[in-house]
Amino acid sequence: MTEPLISARDLTVSYPLGRSFLGEKHVLNAVDGVSLDIYRGQFFGLVGESGSGKTTLGRALLKAAPITAGNVVYRDEERGFDVQSIKGSDLKDYRKRAQLIFQDPYAALSPRMTVRDIIAEPLEVMKLTRNRKETDERVREIAAKCRLNLEHLRRFPHAFSGGQRQRISIARALVSGPRFVVADESVAALDVSIQADVLNLLKQIQRDMGIGFLFISHDLSVVAHVCDQVAVMYLGQLVETAPTRALFARPRHPYTSALLSAIPSLDPDAPKTAEKLEGEIPSPAAPPPGCKFHTRCRFAQDLCRRKVPALRELAPGHKAACHFAEEFDFTRAAAAPVPA
């Protein structure tokens, strides 16, 4: 297998919360010991409830969130970086190669800039082009890839719909020629029909440019449509990771099973099989002992309350952090169809 484009090992992102009355330090572990590999040309999905740490993990891989412990290594055909320690000119070089597509296409674009200036800004800031003519050529090239025409480049963002604005955001992220892109809930704010158009655009760009994507989402039906590999995150930790078809065919963690069961069926006569998770996701500032999911798991036993389960391989490429992954059949609770 080829070398990963970006590799994280025991990655931790912590935020201090001050001291208690007795002087004890309190820390919030937004990302807690995560390890993953993303390859060039791969669509890697990251799913989980709000507050599970998905966005923080994506930003840490981009050096946009402070890395407390562990390491992140980026390596393409030209050069590599130890992401946690880069600064100065190396950080500027890394910014060319790793970019972010924001969630909200309405808040991500400056209302005072034309579309041409929005897309051109990374080229000018990073000094990737030598003159305005070269900049305009690059802007027109990437705009065409994102299905924007010359007339669009003269307008301001308020003249566009949500889907068009997201295509502008995608063009801005791609104009520097990145190898790795984090798409953070990049279709969540769009209508379903527009979502499909943007997802197909991202897949086309992936094929044409060979970009590695980290696709962050809470919608597993969207993940099934575009992703090759999926990781499930809960309270700062990965609880399961597998190829998409394997994950949908047989989830090996009860949390994954519950997420899959909540995907709505297109058949109005299909029985409702969504598995109800009792309670709220615990606070990452005060996680429960043992398995972090045991407070909401109907399969939990005493061992789960005492011991943290390791993320271990159960089948080729399929890992899960559950003490009883081999003993219980979580598939029956999941009603989601296996992606084609």
Side-chain angles (χ1 to χ4, degrees), residues 214-268:
L214 175 63
F215 186 80
I216 299 172
S217 180
H218 64 272
D219 190 339
L220 273 162
S221 59
V222 170
V223 167
H225 178 65
V226 296
C227 293
D228 314 307
Q229 185 86 6
V230 183
V232 182
M233 199 168 187
Y234 184 79
L235 215 62
Q237 295 181 335
L238 297 187
V239 297
E240 186 164 8
T241 178
T244 305
R245 285 184 58 83
L247 187 89
F248 276 71
R250 188 183 177 188
R252 307 297 288 268
H253 194 281
Y255 180 59
T256 308
S257 173
L259 293 179
L260 291 174
S261 73
I263 298 176
S265 173
L266 296 178
D267 183 0

Side-chain angles (χ1 to χ4, degrees), residues 142-186:
I142 204 66
K145 283 184 180 293
C146 295
R147 303 171 193 166
L148 299 166
N149 59 41
L150 292 178
E151 179 59 30
H152 290 151
L153 298 178
R154 303 186 185 99
R155 300 179 187 174
F156 290 86
H158 68 81
F160 296 92
S161 66
Q164 289 172 319
R165 292 190 194 196
Q166 194 61 290
R167 290 204 295 273
I168 297 167
S169 295
I170 293 169
R172 180 179 59 184
L174 298 179
V175 74
S176 64
R179 277 78 161 179
F180 175 60
V181 172
V182 175
D184 186 5
E185 299 277 11
S186 55

Side-chain angles (χ1 to χ4, degrees), residues 249-251 257 298-299 324-333:
R250 188 183 177 188
S257 173
R298 61 192 178 96
F299 298 96
F324 304 103
E326 295 92 347
E327 298 181 31
F328 294 118
D329 182 10
F330 306 123
T331 312
R332 290 177 298 174

Side-chain angles (χ1 to χ4, degrees), residues 18-297:
R19 294 178 180 268
S20 69
F21 178 74
L22 299 176
E24 297 176 343
K25 290 183 179 180
H26 289 284
V27 175
L28 186 152
N29 289 327
V31 178
D32 190 5
V34 167
S35 297
L36 56 80
D37 293 320
I38 301 174
Y39 293 85
R40 180 121 191 220
Q42 183 181 45
F43 233 106
F44 191 103
L46 182 64
V47 301
E49 293 171 286
S50 296
S52 59
K54 306 185 302 295
T55 294
T56 304
L57 174 57
R59 290 176 180 267
L61 296 179
L62 295 174
K63 187 65 173 180
I67 298 174
T68 307
N71 68 295
V72 178
V73 175
Y74 170 94
R75 187 173 287 105
D76 60 29
E77 65 279 3
E78 295 177 0
R79 63 173 304 186
F81 300 93
D82 289 323
V83 175
Q84 68 276 13
S85 61
I86 56 174
K87 55 186 177 180
S89 60
D90 284 341
L91 179 57
K92 187 175 180 180
D93 193 9
Y94 184 59
R95 291 278 181 261
K96 303 173 190 176
R97 303 164 189 270
Q99 283 287 323
L100 172 67
I101 300 171
F102 293 94
Q103 174 179 352
D104 187 354
Y106 293 91
L109 305 177
S110 171
R112 293 186 174 91
M113 299 173 68
T114 65
V115 171
R116 181 268 172 201
D117 291 340
I118 289 171
I119 299 174
E121 187 176 27
L123 298 176
E124 294 165 349
V125 170
M126 298 178 188
K127 296 180 172 57
L128 299 179
T129 51
R130 292 168 293 185
N131 50 54
R132 184 179 179 89
K133 180 181 178 183
E134 191 173 326
T135 300
D136 286 341
E137 288 176 356
R138 178 61 181 159
V139 167
R140 287 194 292 267
E141 177 188 348
I142 204 66
K145 283 184 180 293
C146 295
R147 303 171 193 166
L148 299 166
N149 59 41
L150 292 178
E151 179 59 30
H152 290 151
L153 298 178
R154 303 186 185 99
R155 300 179 187 174
F156 290 86
H158 68 81
F160 296 92
S161 66
Q164 289 172 319
R165 292 190 194 196
Q166 194 61 290
R167 290 204 295 273
I168 297 167
S169 295
I170 293 169
R172 180 179 59 184
L174 298 179
V175 74
S176 64
R179 277 78 161 179
F180 175 60
V181 172
V182 175
D184 186 5
E185 299 277 11
S186 55
V187 298
L190 306 177
D191 293 339
V192 174
S193 59
I194 306 301
Q195 282 186 12
D197 180 61
V198 173
L199 290 173
N200 289 333
L201 173 61
L202 291 176
K203 287 295 287 184
Q204 184 64 47
I205 289 168
Q206 177 210 19
R207 288 190 293 266
D208 293 347
M209 302 178 66
I211 295 173
F213 276 91
L214 175 63
F215 186 80
I216 299 172
S217 180
H218 64 272
D219 190 339
L220 273 162
S221 59
V222 170
V223 167
H225 178 65
V226 296
C227 293
D228 314 307
Q229 185 86 6
V230 183
V232 182
M233 199 168 187
Y234 184 79
L235 215 62
Q237 295 181 335
L238 297 187
V239 297
E240 186 164 8
T241 178
T244 305
R245 285 184 58 83
L247 187 89
F248 276 71
R250 188 183 177 188
R252 307 297 288 268
H253 194 281
Y255 180 59
T256 308
S257 173
L259 293 179
L260 291 174
S261 73
I263 298 176
S265 173
L266 296 178
D267 183 0
D269 298 322
K272 296 181 179 180
T273 57
E275 180 183 344
K276 184 179 180 181
L277 288 177
E278 299 293 339
E280 298 292 330
I281 185 170
S283 169
C291 175
K292 291 183 177 181
F293 186 62
H294 84 259
T295 58
R296 306 171 71 193
C297 180

